Each structure stands twice: as C-alpha cells, then as structure tokens.
Amino acid sequence: MKRRLLLTVLIPAALTGLMLMAGCGGSREDVPMAYQIYDTTDTYIEDLKEDDGTEAAFFSRDLCVGGQENTVSEDLPDENVETAAVFCIDDKKVSYAKNIYEKRYPASTTKILTALLALKYGNPDTILTVSDTAIDSLHPASSVCGLKKGDKIRMEDALYGLMLPSGNDAANVIAEGISGSIEAFADLMNREAYALGATDSHFVNPSGLHDDNHYTTAYDLYLLFNAALQNEDFVKLISTKSYKVSYENQAGENIVTTWNNTNWYLTGTQPEPDGITVIGGKTGTTDEAGNCLVLYSRSQNEEPVISVVLKGKSKKSLYSFMSSMLAEYTKE
C-alpha cells in the first residue's frame, strides 16, 4: 500500500512530479533531484518494487520528459509564437521546447480531450439530439459545423463535426450525450486530464470557448494528444481531409453536407515540412489564445512526432514556424 500511495502522491505534482519519476533513462542535470524517488518519510528509495517483487512501473516510463530550460536556436527565430515543442515519441525526447509548462489558453485544441472522452465513453452509433442548451450556449463568434436544434446525428458523425470544421455546436452535443450536461462533462474532462498527468490544466467547456479558468500547457496537450493517439479511430479522425455526412433535422428531413478539415497541411494551403509526413492534428484560434496547432507527424526516419505551437501571432506565421521547427528538430 505504501508504494501505491507514493505514486499517488507524486503524480499530482505537475511538472515537478513528472520529472521526478523515471522513464526516459539517465538523470537530468537541469532538474533538481530528477528521477530520485522518496517515500512519505523522505527516505530515498533506490530500488522501488511492487508487492510481487517486480520493478515498479513509473508514470513517465513511456513519456517524453523535458527540463525547464527553453531551447536556444539562432536558426529558428521564435518571436511570432509564445509556446512551442517537439516531442520525439520513440526516443522519449523533447527535442525543442519554448515555455512548455506555462499556462496558455488552448482554444479548439481542447477538442482533443473532448474527442478522447467521446471515443472512450461513447458509442459511435448512439443517436444524439441537439438540445436547446447546446445551441443557445454558443458564442456568436463560435466556429460551428451547422447543427440546429432538434437535429439527430450519430455520435461518430458528430465527432467529425467536432474535429474537422471544429464545431463548437458538435462539442456541446457530444458533451451532453456523454455526461448529460456541459458542466458535468467539464468535470469529466478535468478528472481524465488529471489522471493522464495533465495537472496544470483546467477545463470548463468541451469546445475551447475562451474562459479565464480554461487553460492548459503545451506539455499537458502533449500528454492528452499522446493518449488519444493510442486510439486508431482518433487517428482516423484527425487525418481525414473531408467528410460527407447525412443526418436528420427536427422536421425529419435528411440533411447532407460535407465538412472540411481546418488543418492547412491537410488542405494543401501549407506544404509539408521538409522530410516530414503530416498525419493530422487539431487547430485552435481565439483572440486570447492566438493561433494554435497540435500536430502528429512522422519524421524522415519514420519516427512518430508530436509537435505543439501555441499563441502564434497569425496562421501564416504559426505554420511557417511549425514547418521550420519540425524540419530542424526531428533530425538525428
């Protein structure tokens, strides 16, 4: 029991806790007491074991764990973005980092977590009915996929409306379908994020509509995105360029429309970075969050890579920086 308590105590320590636990090999000189594990009496434990004598499975064993210092590069001007990172998944390495533990507003990159929970707790064939509250709670400037009150749509189709055109309407419909209300779904979001180690985040809605109490970090987004990528259906969602959907409106009429991805790499607006194959990702934009993008790619060595840019000054500068960053920091 003591060992289980130890892991429970360490995990909520956010950045410090994640960097205290072993999992990326070796020690870190830039993080005090990195990977040194203590029990509740502050006694250092050299060989932590489970009750059956096997080696303890630490929380960060399969994660990229970085230090607190920003990467300095004269070849990659970063004045147009406030936060950025490259996570090399196989190497468990953060190869580029700028302010990855600082609080940022996530905008629609929030929908990564919304989709993750819908895939985990929802049934793709469940029919969702668009409620009054799901539509009435939308901000006038919200990005939407066009759902109306009384529409009936399958959960799987709503997920495409969530992730391709970044529909806040779809986000609300999914939240109510999973948890009964937007508020209850936000509670679920926070519990699940916390369990995945994203302890520097707090969510109040499923869409990313701005709220001062709705925030995350680049590292937390990596944790959430990395968890979502374990689901093949999520990878299919983020890599889909366009999706033709059919659903029923309140009058029983069939509505057919096509939703297109907002990711410039998938639309062809932005060429892929040199040596990089872009698989998919999630965009986000609000006045407060700036321009955001979480991306899943493969390097020229076929290594899976997660990259994050938050609070870019413009979409053009965001994609330009993302391309340069990936081209430079996925090399061997």
Side-chain angles (χ1 to χ4, degrees):
M1 291 298 294
K2 191 173 187 179
R3 294 187 181 99
R4 295 191 184 97
L5 175 62
L6 170 66
L7 292 177
T8 302
V9 169
L10 285 173
I11 288 174
L15 166 62
T16 303
L18 288 172
M19 291 191 295
L20 282 174
M21 298 179 215
C24 291
S27 61
R28 300 282 315 218
E29 294 182 358
D30 58 337
V31 183
M33 298 184 298
Y35 308 130
Q36 296 184 17
I37 307 300
Y38 293 82
D39 66 14
T40 53
T41 63
D42 291 332
T43 300
Y44 175 59
I45 303 174
E46 292 191 29
D47 298 308
L48 189 63
K49 303 291 184 181
E50 300 287 2
D51 292 337
D52 62 1
T54 59
E55 183 179 353
F58 295 114
F59 179 77
S60 64
R61 178 180 300 274
D62 295 318
L63 297 174
C64 302
V65 178
Q68 300 181 58
E69 298 297 322
N70 288 338
T71 304
V72 177
S73 173
E74 296 180 356
D75 298 326
L76 187 64
D78 60 2
E79 67 274 6
N80 288 323
V81 302
E82 291 197 8
T83 293
V86 175
F87 301 92
C88 299
I89 297 174
D90 287 349
D91 292 339
K92 301 182 178 64
K93 180 176 68 175
V94 184
S95 64
Y96 181 86
K98 179 183 180 180
N99 302 330
I100 65 174
Y101 305 111
E102 291 189 10
K103 184 176 80 172
R104 294 285 181 259
Y105 299 124
S108 286
T109 62
T110 297
K111 291 164 182 158
I112 293 167
L113 179 56
T114 301
L116 169 61
L117 298 182
L119 290 168
K120 181 176 181 179
Y121 293 108
N123 183 321
D125 293 322
T126 296
I127 302 299
L128 306 174
T129 299
V130 180
S131 72
D132 290 352
T133 57
I135 301 302
D136 292 342
S137 60
L138 291 173
H139 188 275
S142 289
S143 59
V144 295
C145 62
L147 298 177
K148 308 296 183 184
K149 297 176 184 179
D151 287 349
K152 297 182 183 298
I153 186 169
R154 293 172 63 246
M155 174 71 79
E156 181 179 16
D157 292 331
L159 277 166
Y160 281 95
L162 174 81
M163 297 300 281
L164 272 65
S166 200
N168 289 4
D169 45 358
N172 289 344
V173 171
I174 290 169
E176 291 183 345
I178 296 294
S179 298
S181 71
I182 293 171
E183 294 76 16
F185 188 78
D187 289 339
L188 177 63
M189 294 173 78
N190 288 313
R191 290 196 303 272
E192 294 284 327
Y194 195 85
L196 290 169
T199 57
D200 287 326
S201 297
H202 185 260
F203 302 98
V204 300
N205 62 65
S207 64
L209 179 68
H210 178 73
D211 187 293
D212 287 347
N213 291 316
H214 187 102
Y215 54 84
T216 189
T217 69
Y219 190 78
D220 280 5
L221 280 175
Y222 151 70
L223 292 173
L224 301 177
F225 196 56
N226 184 63
L229 290 175
Q230 310 313 307
N231 188 312
E232 293 181 358
D233 290 330
F234 180 83
V235 177
K236 181 181 177 182
L237 274 174
I238 64 172
S239 61
T240 298
K241 296 180 180 180
S242 64
Y243 185 77
K244 186 175 182 179
V245 61
S246 174
Y247 58 92
E248 186 179 292
N249 69 10
Q250 192 172 29
E253 300 167 332
N254 193 45
I255 304 297
V256 178
T257 190
T258 299
W259 292 324
N260 297 310
N261 206 309
T262 57
N263 188 326
W264 280 11
Y265 289 117
L266 297 188
T267 63
T269 306
Q270 177 74 23
E272 288 186 325
D274 292 341
I276 301 295
T277 301
V278 173
I279 298 171
K282 186 68 196 78
T283 59
T285 306
T286 64
D287 290 342
E288 297 83 359
N291 294 273
C292 307
L293 178 61
V294 181
L295 200 66
Y296 178 44
S297 309
R298 288 195 174 273
S299 71
Q300 57 187 353
N301 298 319
E302 290 299 309
E303 179 184 16
V305 177
I306 293 173
S307 53
V308 180
V309 174
L310 302 178
K311 207 161 187 181
K313 289 185 178 180
S314 68
K315 287 186 179 180
K316 183 176 180 180
S317 61
L318 177 149
Y319 281 94
S320 176
F321 181 85
M322 177 71 83
S323 292
S324 299
M325 180 177 68
L326 283 170
E328 180 65 25
Y329 286 93
T330 58
K331 298 176 181 177
E332 287 188 320

